[in-house]
Amino acid sequence: MITAGVDLGSTYVKAVVVKDQERVGYGVAPTGHDHDVTSKKVLGSALLMAGIEFGEVDHIVSTGYGRRVTTLARSSISEISANARGVQWLGSELGIRTIIDIGGQDTKVIALDDDLQMINFAMNDKCAAGTGRFLEVLARVLEVPLDKMGPVSMRSRDPVDITTTCLVFAKSEVANLVFDGHRKEDIIMGIHKAVARRLVGMAKKVGVRDVVFFDGGPAMNIGMVHAMERELGRKMYVPEMPQIVTATGAAILAAEELQKKGK
Amino acid sequence: MENEGPRYLKDRKGYFPKDQRQRTRKRSREMEASVSSDLKKQRNRPGKMAYFDEVLKYGGMRFEELREFHKKGGKIVGTLCVMVPLELVNAAGARSVRMCSGYYEPVHPANELLGDAGLCPMVKSTLGRKMVSSDPLIDLIDLVAGPATCDGKMKLAEILEDWVPVVMMNIPRVKVGETSSDLWVKEIVHLKDRLEELTGHPVRKKALKEELSQWNEANQYWSEIQKLRRSERPPISGRDAMLVVQASQFDDIRRWNRKVKELIEELQRMRTKGIFAGEEGAARILLAGSPMIYPNFKIPSIIEGSGGTIVTDELCSGYRLMSDPVLVDGLSKKEIYQAIAERYFFPCSCPCFSPNDERVRRLKEVIKAFGIEGVVFHTLRGCHLNNLEATKIELALREISVPMVRIESEYDEGDIEQVRTRIEAFVEMIKARREYHRNPILEDVQ
Ligand code: SF4
Ligand code: SF4
């Protein structure tokens, strides 16, 4: 059985192809203006990687912020369930009980029970604090490429304290810090810490239990991981490809839906 | 103390132009029409619901009746909270209408005058509705009865005095035994005096007892509906149940009783046929938090459109309107007022009270009785009291392993997708849990 999951996030679209419970292909691209077009393109590249024709795909499930706008999928699921399902697929040996997922505009914390079933979750509200967007915009202010933020920040010895969580104010705060002659690495680490504080605050409300799983695009940022671990006071598990866990979950759910129907 | 003229808007002339009034009216009418048409599209909807749609319709049949009544010199009293005894208003020969607004558009005029002011949108909308008279009903109101519950409601009542006479009622917020209920009895008697003054019609014991029995009957019908909702396959949706109970706040209670009786008969027939208002396998949800006044049915519509069914609620715009009869255990007028005061005070679990542990206790009880699988706790942005209590309630529910999701919303449609994501995930979570945990077991009702 071949299924696909398409995760239409606010900044990136991700697609995963699963064949008999194995992940055989994936694709990632910036969302752009047209969710529908991008999702087809991204699924196309995932299929190419897997060496599978579109016609061979038995079922597609969409998820994420734009899950209703794509014409690809016949059913959709919330990104929260899909993310949890992706973690279940990774296996119970990992012992994961808490998921922290940092997305472009939405950040989620999910609590799992001992059967890896969701028992609670929280999502940030409208505000950009504690999301990928916060990092993205401030990286632009600092003129540092997003993927360099992590490595640069690791050089920091004396991180600054970013006091505001509002993106609008943080922009001018960061500009002032640059003006005052602070080192970029210290400012970036300060930014990571500010995001981490916000996320950990949210996680505590949901309840943090080991092992903590960290995913979403910004989980590829080593500085962010570092700041999170310090703020949490514990190690986290970061998967190899943190961006596509949710899309994988959607693909697995697509397979389950088919199985249920077949029964 | 005498009121020395307007305080919040000194020069009213031209402040809210005619255009604005027309726009607000138009958008309000359109909003109500669209919410109503969504309600009519619900699956397996009882035919008898049509009557309740009409009662709450913008400029509908009930409005026409009230206008006639008013034209002939009848007096209309607007109420700002579930704690105002409607029996009393009607026994004085006036008609009561709930003044709290669920319309989105009137929030804007209130924002213009006061700034955001951190008020909840219900308070702002109610105010804006009066300021620009965004629907024709609002201008029929001769007197407003407003208990000073939360800060928003208290100042709402005060600001409204710039436009219409108000009886502010001093509700004791620290809920301890007799000292507090004594004060409330006095406030109720004061309301009675003001009503008599307004209508020129003394409240007679006989009339009051008659009203009480009508409202007690209404309570009984409501508990019939609740009984039907407890069953495994409720024949009525959560939105419709809310619509029915909110209609009582505008309608002639005698007619409402008749119509609800007919509805119940229809629901009972549906139930024997196994007709279910929700979608198959729907998650059994309890809706809690800030009030949701028609046509602000945003949250319930999302819940019931995302695989959930609202089996009951703990809202003062829902079950609270019709729960607990007035129990008079004496014959004197004094005892009657005492009984009214008690009914409107002690069982009310509005977060403006402290202590308010009663709320949690009652909630847990209802969760058990109705086989609730999850609680959606909704707060209007700016409703600090519910926001605070949500934390306490979430922890209490965690102890009994009942999941709860917190939703905050405004009076606009900008957050629909965000809310939907949370609700969908919540419903998916509940359904996934079923395979691992046993469903709550429903005792058989009837
Ligand atoms: S929330 Fe409290 S104050 Fe507001 S209407 Fe309900 S009972 Fe009254
Ligand atoms: S919803 Fe909350 S803030 Fe608004 S009037 Fe009622 S208690 Fe007050």
Side-chain angles (χ1 to χ4, degrees):
Chain A
M1 188 190 311
I2 300 171
T3 56
V6 186
D7 175 8
L8 297 101
S10 58
T11 39
Y12 284 94
V13 173
K14 287 82 65 177
V16 163
V17 180
V18 164
K19 186 177 178 185
D20 305 326
Q21 298 287 309
E22 287 293 325
R23 186 158 62 193
V24 291
Y26 62 87
V28 179
T31 301
H33 299 299
D34 193 330
H35 271 95
D36 197 29
V37 172
T38 315
S39 61
K40 284 177 184 151
K41 212 174 70 196
V42 175
L43 179 60
S45 54
L47 286 169
L48 197 68
M49 179 171 170
I52 289 171
E53 295 287 320
F54 183 77
E56 294 174 69
V57 181
D58 298 301
H59 189 38
I60 305 173
V61 166
S62 64
T63 185
Y65 165 81
R67 65 188 175 283
R68 289 161 186 280
V69 293
T70 177
T71 49
L72 271 177
R74 256 165 291 144
S75 57
S76 71
I77 184 128
S78 73
E79 54 267 41
I80 298 170
S81 303
N83 198 342
R85 191 66 194 86
V87 170
Q88 289 163 11
W89 172 81
L90 284 171
S92 57
E93 325 65 85
L94 300 176
I96 292 158
R97 297 292 177 268
T98 310
I99 304 171
I100 301 180
D101 169 31
I102 161 164
Q105 268 174 24
D106 289 315
T107 292
K108 300 129 214 146
V109 179
I110 305 169
L112 303 177
D113 65 10
D114 296 342
D115 299 315
L116 294 189
Q117 293 298 311
M118 279 205 284
I119 38 173
N120 195 4
F121 65 85
M123 227 169 144
N124 68 312
D125 49 28
K126 280 181 194 159
C127 155
T131 68
R133 193 166 151 64
F134 194 82
L135 296 173
E136 213 185 293
V137 171
L138 296 180
R140 235 178 289 140
V141 173
L142 287 166
E143 295 172 333
V144 173
L146 195 55
D147 56 350
K148 292 283 173 331
M149 293 274 280
V152 171
S153 72
M154 294 306 280
R155 294 202 299 261
S156 165
R157 298 252 167 104
D158 184 18
V160 302
D161 211 10
I162 306 276
T163 47
T164 170
T165 50
C166 170
L167 181 54
V168 181
F169 294 127
K171 268 164 80 176
S172 60
E173 192 173 340
V174 165
N176 279 330
L177 287 166
V178 175
F179 190 75
D180 288 348
H182 286 276
R183 291 171 188 276
K184 272 195 183 162
E185 54 258 40
D186 292 335
I187 301 176
I188 299 173
M189 198 39 123
I191 294 168
H192 290 153
K193 283 176 71 176
V195 173
R197 260 200 310 274
R198 183 85 179 195
L199 276 179
V200 170
M202 200 165 120
K204 279 186 186 154
K205 271 190 230 145
V206 175
V208 182
R209 286 206 297 156
D210 273 328
V211 171
V212 181
F213 182 85
F214 191 40
D215 70 346
M220 295 186 292
N221 172 337
I222 167 100
M224 196 60 238
V225 174
H226 193 75
M228 284 292 294
E229 288 184 337
R230 289 196 62 165
E231 198 65 37
L232 270 174
R234 54 182 102 198
K235 285 269 168 218
M236 297 187 301
Y237 179 91
V238 185
E240 229 172 275
M241 282 176 290
Q243 256 184 313
I244 58 170
V245 179
T246 302
T248 309
I252 297 291
L253 281 161
E256 276 169 18
E257 273 188 26
L258 271 191
Q259 255 161 12
K260 266 188 202 151
K261 260 186 228 150
K263 252 192 263 167
Chain B
M1 203 172 42
E2 262 316 293
N3 187 352
E4 295 171 3
R7 296 155 297 185
Y8 284 86
L9 184 54
K10 294 260 182 215
D11 188 5
R12 207 181 300 167
K13 220 169 141 231
Y15 191 93
F16 296 112
K18 211 169 132 205
D19 252 22
Q20 187 171 18
R21 183 178 72 211
Q22 272 158 0
R23 186 174 62 235
T24 313
R25 282 193 173 189
K26 181 165 166 276
R27 297 216 175 125
S28 298
R29 196 183 323 108
E30 286 167 357
M31 174 186 175
E32 195 276 324
S34 112
V35 172
S36 174
S37 102
D38 281 348
L39 288 178
K40 287 173 187 153
K41 282 184 215 135
Q42 292 174 92
R43 65 197 291 260
N44 298 335
R45 194 172 197 235
K48 296 286 179 199
M49 280 307 299
Y51 171 77
F52 302 96
D53 291 333
E54 187 57 36
V55 173
L56 288 172
K57 186 175 169 187
Y58 181 102
M61 136 311 249
R62 184 59 185 159
F63 160 70
E64 291 301 339
E65 282 177 6
L66 288 169
R67 184 162 65 179
E68 273 309 301
F69 172 79
H70 195 250
K71 227 199 245 157
K72 290 187 190 134
K75 299 294 178 197
I76 295 184
V77 175
T79 60
L80 285 181
C81 170
V82 61
M83 290 182 232
V84 180
L86 304 184
E87 296 93 334
L88 196 55
V89 176
N90 289 281
R95 298 284 179 272
S96 52
V97 296
R98 181 68 181 259
M99 208 173 162
C100 298
S101 167
Y103 287 91
Y104 293 176
E105 195 61 24
V107 164
H108 302 302
N111 272 342
E112 274 170 44
L113 184 66
L114 302 167
D116 174 56
L119 292 171
C120 87
M122 192 177 80
V123 163
K124 291 195 275 196
S125 174
T126 307
L127 193 59
R129 205 174 156 204
K130 181 65 202 168
M131 292 192 307
V132 301
S133 62
S134 74
D135 67 61
L137 181 63
I138 208 82
D139 287 331
L140 302 180
I141 292 172
D142 301 292
L143 180 72
V144 175
T149 51
C150 70
D151 289 357
K153 277 276 163 77
M154 177 166 81
K155 287 292 150 181
L156 167 66
E158 180 184 306
I159 300 168
L160 277 172
E161 278 188 314
D162 272 17
W163 279 266
V164 51
V166 173
V167 194
M168 182 94 77
M169 300 174 76
N170 192 5
I171 182 96
R173 294 180 34 166
V174 178
K175 208 194 254 180
V176 284
E178 269 168 32
T179 39
S180 12
S181 62
D182 283 352
L183 172 60
W184 190 232
V185 177
K186 284 187 190 133
E187 289 296 303
I188 296 225
V189 173
H190 173 65
L191 173 67
K192 179 207 70 144
D193 294 341
R194 292 288 304 268
L195 289 166
E196 288 177 337
E197 213 177 276
L198 176 76
T199 59
H201 191 302
V203 175
R204 299 199 195 286
K205 198 155 98 183
K206 190 160 163 260
L208 189 52
K209 283 177 81 176
E210 168 58 18
E211 285 297 326
L212 286 173
S213 83
Q214 288 294 335
W215 284 89
N216 284 353
E217 195 180 322
N219 274 292
Q220 248 166 35
Y221 287 133
W222 175 251
S223 63
E224 284 294 313
I225 293 183
Q226 288 295 79
K227 217 159 142 198
L228 287 160
R229 296 176 77 192
R230 275 181 60 182
S231 66
E232 223 184 299
R233 297 164 64 80
I236 182 166
S237 71
R239 281 172 286 171
D240 280 345
M242 257 165 66
L243 196 79
V244 168
V245 75
Q246 290 189 18
S248 72
Q249 307 289 293
F250 293 87
D251 206 2
D252 169 354
I253 198 64
R254 288 163 184 77
R255 186 172 56 193
W256 187 90
N257 280 338
R258 275 203 311 279
K259 295 291 178 182
V260 168
K261 190 160 171 265
E262 289 170 23
L263 174 69
I264 292 170
E265 283 160 9
E266 183 177 8
L267 291 173
Q268 274 159 348
R269 281 196 299 276
M270 287 167 71
R271 188 184 160 179
T272 37
K273 286 193 209 134
I275 296 173
F276 178 31
E279 57 182 69
E280 289 308 319
R284 295 174 71 89
I285 303 289
L286 180 143
L287 187 55
S290 304
M292 262 166 256
I293 307 272
Y294 182 81
N296 175 30
F297 274 18
K298 176 166 68 179
I299 307 291
S301 301
I302 295 176
I303 296 173
E304 298 197 320
S306 305
T309 181
I310 301 166
V311 190
T312 189
D313 65 68
E314 64 105 46
L315 305 174
C316 64
S317 58
Y319 97 97
R320 180 73 210 120
L321 294 169
M322 277 294 167
S323 298
D324 310 294
V326 176
L327 302 169
V328 187
D329 43 28
L331 291 171
S332 70
K333 243 181 158 178
K334 190 169 163 258
E335 281 160 317
I336 296 180
Y337 286 117
Q338 180 82 38
I340 294 177
E342 278 169 8
R343 184 279 175 200
Y344 279 91
F345 179 65
F346 285 113
C348 187
S349 52
C350 174
C352 71
F353 293 118
S354 189
N356 197 27
D357 300 329
E358 179 65 12
R359 185 179 192 184
V360 181
R361 196 192 57 74
R362 194 159 182 157
L363 188 60
K364 284 188 181 166
E365 232 176 66
V366 171
I367 286 174
K368 223 167 124 207
F370 282 76
I372 297 299
E373 294 177 288
V375 173
V376 174
F377 195 103
H378 156 263
T379 48
L380 290 168
R381 190 174 305 255
C383 178
H384 312 305
L385 296 171
N386 270 302
N387 208 338
L388 289 169
E389 290 219 333
T391 304
K392 181 172 78 181
I393 289 173
E394 189 172 7
L395 292 181
L397 295 188
R398 214 173 273 176
E399 274 167 20
I400 56 167
S401 297
V402 173
M404 170 176 133
V405 65
R406 288 169 77 155
I407 306 280
E408 192 175 62
S409 85
E410 269 284 354
Y411 268 18
D412 62 49
E413 293 182 341
D415 55 8
I416 286 186
E417 286 311 316
Q418 272 196 326
V419 172
R420 201 196 310 274
T421 301
R422 287 168 174 74
I423 302 274
E424 273 181 11
F426 189 63
V427 167
E428 286 159 6
M429 174 174 106
I430 289 172
K431 290 184 179 173
R433 277 164 63 99
R434 284 182 183 159
E435 291 169 25
Y436 285 81
H437 309 265
R438 266 189 303 154
N439 287 346
I441 298 166
L442 278 172
E443 314 147 37
D444 203 22
V445 269
Q446 282 189 344

